[in-house]
Each structure stands twice: as structure tokens, then as C-alpha cells.
Amino acid sequence: MTADRAGDFLRHLAEAGHADSAALRAEAPGGANALRRIWEASELPAGDFADQVALFFGMERIRLPQLMAAPALVKRFSPRFLREMGVFPYVAADGTARLAVGDPTDAAGLRAAEIVLGAPVAIAIASFEDIATALTERLGDEEAAVSEISAADAARAADDIDSLRDLASGAPVVRAVNDLMERAVELRASDIHIGPFRTGLEVRMRVDGLLRPVPAPAGVLPQAVISRIKILAGLDIAERRLPQDGAARLKVGRTELDIRVAIMPTQHGESAVIRLLPRDRGLLTMDKLGFGAADAATLKRLLAMPHGMIVVTGPTGSGKTTTLATILSILNEPTRKILTIEDPVEYEIRGVYQSQVKPAIGLTFAAALRSFLRQDPDVIMVGEVRDPETAHIAVHAALTGHLVLTTLHTDTAAAAVPRMIDLGVEGFLLQSTLRAVIAQRLVRQLCDRCKRPRTLTRRDIDDDPRYAALGLRPGESVHEPVGCERCSGAGYRGRLGVFEILTLNDDIRALMGERAGATVLDKAAVKAGMTTMLDDGIAKCRAGLTSAAEVLRVTTVR
């Protein structure tokens, strides 16, 4: 019944032309959470998808203002159940119990609600995002009522490792950490930052590249929260003087996560940063990464080459790994053998042999590269060139008939050349092996639901120097962030890349032989037709994909 109805709705959505029919056909409906997976494949806004669900199933449609105004029945249920099932129980205007759901084909939540409430429950359709928002608002009030630990108990637990271990395994602390994870998944956060200060624990989550404060767990000891995170990551809770790194695989609600944990001692205790890597996130296509038509054509031409080196550059968190994973998915054919060495493996790609560095046992980038050359690969991906040894082996692998993909930390594409030379790679070897350098940054994408068009006037440009810095002129149309419930008031939802691709020609190779600096190489590349990251950002601003403020936040006017 569930699979059949989900499949019928999938076909309805594709035939109605609301989304990419090929992507929808690739989505296999059935089992729990079928419609959520169809929504994620369809790329429809959550509200529009819910409208289609209500229309197809002939059910009542309820929106976020109505959910927030209705008396909630969340006290009768556990927060974990509500979040895992993605349902919101409330009392309708006629006094009957209702259950707001995003997926009416998943009957488990309805059956459980009827058992708990002891009466029949009617269903209303709400968007997945509205349900998550309503749950966060209502459950936040309930969870803030957790009883507080006395100062004396806190001091004793902080000094007693056994007591701290017991406290970290207790229900309040376990629930607090689980709720933080669930909140991060709801917000689409990439990292959770937890740090102790004199006044208490501070929690922030990185959403679309920017940190956002969230309420800290109430009624739990900060040391116990950090200890619980250590236990999850397999770290030593008795060691508080040295940094520690760990990893774990968790299931948060219905989402499977790989987490990377970094612990650092600070003045008021230990801080923790948790990197969240959803295991089921799909690879992007070239256009979804944000490559313009000209850059996409250049990259496809480069990937058709049988050997050489392609370097992706940018600071930490600029999307280099995602770009490399997408490139690997394009190259991933049965006729090619692809080997990778990464730290960590963030995307699992079927058909690609992926390894993770383990310095403690001697498996470094350089050691893995030496072994790779005996494995008869066609394509090699090195997560990062960090030292001269790795740089030399990677260049020699490119010389011996392999296509080598790797990353560097530099500001611009041109700066990668002197950086490689600084690592000890001879200029003539670099001239022979380097095919291209891709530099990138990530800009926040304007929320499709609430972004507002604006036609610039002379006064706008005179009053706001950002428009003048980007070369925008009176009469041009741009879009600005507004803020709505879908984007949590930020005005932005999701990110896309801005790129520049430096390809080598005879002039640039000659400058490399002369050990020219990054500025000289950059000017030569622009003269040869390279589109800079700033120019790419301006084009995306004019296309209404991002704002002028975002472009200037991540790029530099040269």
C-alpha cells in the first residue's frame, strides 16, 4: 500500500512537470519516509511539494502559522519520536486531535499517535520544513524545563572521572547531545561548535558557511556534554590537557551520519567541534556546483586528457572535496580504475577504491601514493598536498601516465604555481604535468521563496559602495535577501561555488620557467581569457542566484 501510493504520487509529480522526471524515476519509492526521499530528489520547495501531496491525496493542507497557533499535544509524546517520525500532533479548531504529517503514506506515526491519544486522529498535510520548525519551537519550551544540577554535584563530577563517566552516560546528558545532533540535522548544519566560557556553555552551528548561535543544553553539566561527545568518538575522557581527534558513525532520527570530533583544551575547559557528514548525501552535477557554461566546457575538455595534474585550491570549507568528488563521479566508468587517499573519506562513490589516511600506523598521503603506483590505476585522487614528499610523488605519478587530482590551500588559482615550487617541485616538471588549477569559494544562495528583485538607481549605487565595487550600473536588476520560514529568516538557503580555472598556455609556461610570482601569472591568465572568481560571482549576482554582499564577502577585487 505504502510503496504503491508513493509510486503513484511520484508518477503524478513527474507527469505534472513539477520536477526533473529522470531524477524522480531514479528515486525508488517504498518503505519508511518514501515521500521525503521523493521531495529531496524533486528539488521542489517544501511548501510547493506539500501542496502537491495534499492535492494528490485529497487531504487538508495546514501551514506554519496555523500550526504555531494551534494547541500542541507534544507533551504526550517523546521528542525523539516526534522528530524521527516527522509529525506534529495538535488540536484542531473543532476540538479534535489532528496529526500534521509530510508523508501520509507512512502509517506508523498515525498508528502510534492513536495509541498514545486513545482516540482516532485525522491527518493534515504540512511541509517537512514547517513540521521541523514547529517541533523546534514547541519542544524547545519543554526541554528548557529539565531540572538543573546543583553546583556542588557539578564540582564533584568535574573532579571525579568515574562520576563524570556515569553522568555522561545518564539520560539527561545523552538526551541533550542527541537533541543537539537532531537540531543540527534540521538546520542542515555542517559543524557543531561547543565551547565552555565563564558564564556557561556556548553552542553554535555552521549553516551555509556561517556560524549561527543556538540554545545550549539546559540543566546539564558542560563537562558531561563534552565527555559524552568523547565517548561517542571513542576518546579518552580522562585526558583533558591535550587535543584529541576521533570519529563515529551515528543514526540521528532517520539520517545516518559520519561525524569527526576535534577536542581542544581551552581556558575554561575543553571545546569540541563536530563535523557532520551525512552518508546519504548525493553527488552534485557540474551545473549544480555552479560552473558557468564556459568553465564547464573547459573542465570537460581537461577531464578528457589521459594524464597530467589538475589542482583544486581554496581555503578550508570552500567546497574543494565536493568538487573533486563530482569530478570523480564524471570520470567513474568501468574502463577506468580510480584510487583515492583522503582525510577523511567524505563521499563514498561506488566503483572507486577509497582509502583514508592513518598517520598513527604510517599510512600518510605519500605512503599511499607510493602503493597506488603499483595498483595500476588510471586516475589518482590525493586529498591534499601538504608536504614536499607528497608533492614530488604526485607530480611523478602525473608524468608516468596517470591523471592526478589534488587540492592545495591558496587564495587564487595562480598562487598554486609558486606554492608547488615552494614545496620543492622543479619548474620544468610542473610545466610538463600541470594541466589546470581550479580556485573556488562558496557563496550563499538566495532563498528562492523570498528573494526580492531590485532595479538599481544611481542613488543606490552612490549609497552602497558594494554595487560600485562589482561594477553594477543604474538600470541593472539584482536580487536581495528578505527572509522567510523556509530559510529561517536568513534570506539564504544553500550554497553554490564561484570559480576560476587557470589553464596553461605557452606564455604561462614560460613565466613558470622564470619563476614568476602569482600576480604576474594571474594577469597573464586573465589576458588569456580566464574568468576570475570575482567575475563569476558578479555573473551569479546578475542572474539572481546570490547577492552583492555575498560576492564581496568571499572574493577580493583585484
Side-chain angles (χ1 to χ4, degrees), residues 443 470 497-499 531-543 546-547 551 555:
V443 295
L470 295 182
V498 291
F499 301 90
T531 300
T532 66
M533 285 184 286
L534 179 64
D535 292 336
D536 192 30
I538 294 171
K540 289 178 170 64
C541 181
R542 288 188 168 118
T546 190
S547 66
V551 174
T555 62

Side-chain angles (χ1 to χ4, degrees), residues 283 303 324-340 347-354 378-379 403 405:
L283 293 169
L303 297 182
L324 281 180
T326 303
I327 290 174
L328 287 179
S329 70
I330 295 171
L331 293 171
N332 188 18
E333 297 177 352
T335 56
R336 289 192 181 99
K337 182 171 183 179
I338 303 176
L339 300 177
T340 76
Y347 290 89
E348 293 185 10
I349 309 172
R350 183 178 178 84
V352 175
Y353 298 90
Q354 297 173 268
D378 298 295
V379 180
L403 180 61
L405 310 172

Side-chain angles (χ1 to χ4, degrees), residues 9-314:
F9 177 72
L10 188 153
R11 287 186 288 274
H12 156 76
L13 203 62
E15 290 168 1
H18 292 293
D20 179 6
S21 60
L24 289 175
R25 284 195 299 271
E27 181 64 46
N33 225 16
L35 291 195
R36 177 180 284 275
R37 290 186 285 115
I38 294 174
W39 168 53
E40 291 170 350
S42 73
E43 297 182 0
L44 279 175
D48 294 348
F49 185 86
D51 291 342
Q52 290 298 318
V53 172
L55 177 67
F56 179 79
F57 289 94
M59 294 181 173
E60 177 189 356
R61 172 78 164 93
I62 185 168
R63 302 180 187 279
L64 183 60
Q66 298 168 277
L67 281 180
M68 298 306 297
L73 297 173
V74 296
K75 291 183 180 179
R76 307 277 292 273
F77 300 82
S78 74
R80 177 177 297 279
F81 166 80
L82 296 175
R83 284 185 167 135
E84 286 187 1
M85 300 304 297
V87 297
F88 184 84
Y90 67 98
V91 179
D94 60 3
T96 61
R98 299 284 174 88
L99 192 69
V101 303
D103 183 354
T105 69
D106 190 354
L110 176 61
R111 288 197 300 269
E114 289 180 338
I115 292 172
V116 171
L117 298 175
V121 177
I123 284 180
I125 303 299
S127 74
F128 294 110
E129 292 178 346
D130 287 351
I131 291 172
T133 301
L135 287 176
T136 298
E137 291 293 328
R138 295 304 178 92
L139 293 179
D141 296 337
E142 302 298 323
E143 292 159 358
V146 177
S147 60
E148 295 188 1
I149 299 172
S150 69
D153 291 341
R156 283 195 298 271
D159 294 331
D160 187 340
I161 296 301
D162 291 333
S163 297
L164 191 58
R165 181 180 285 106
D166 292 341
L167 191 60
S169 301
V173 176
V174 171
R175 187 185 309 117
V177 173
N178 289 344
D179 290 345
L180 280 179
M181 297 288 187
E182 290 170 359
R183 178 64 171 154
V185 170
E186 289 173 6
L187 290 175
R188 302 173 295 105
S190 60
D191 303 86
I192 305 173
H193 292 245
I194 304 173
F197 289 89
R198 189 183 300 276
T199 55
L201 204 63
E202 179 187 79
V203 180
R204 293 181 291 174
M205 296 184 182
R206 191 174 294 280
V207 181
D208 293 335
L210 296 182
L211 287 173
R212 179 184 299 181
V214 299
V220 292
L221 183 67
Q223 293 95 322
V225 173
I226 299 297
S227 294
R228 174 61 185 168
I229 294 169
K230 285 184 174 181
I231 290 171
L232 288 175
L235 303 178
D236 182 4
I237 68 170
E239 178 56 73
R240 304 178 190 174
R241 301 165 300 170
L242 297 173
Q244 297 186 70
D245 295 321
R249 180 165 292 177
L250 306 175
K251 187 170 184 180
V252 179
R254 297 183 179 183
T255 302
E256 291 190 1
L257 294 175
D258 286 332
I259 67 169
R260 302 290 183 269
V261 176
I263 303 293
M264 172 65 69
T266 65
Q267 182 178 3
H268 299 290
E270 292 175 299
S271 68
V273 176
I274 306 171
R275 168 65 59 88
L276 306 177
L277 305 171
R279 299 193 66 214
D280 58 352
R281 58 178 178 171
L283 293 169
L284 301 177
T285 58
M286 199 77 74
D287 57 329
K288 290 180 183 176
L289 282 176
F291 280 102
D295 284 345
T298 299
L299 185 55
K300 288 178 181 177
R301 176 175 56 81
L302 292 168
L303 297 182
M305 295 181 177
H307 51 80
M309 176 182 285
I310 298 174
V311 179
V312 182
T313 76

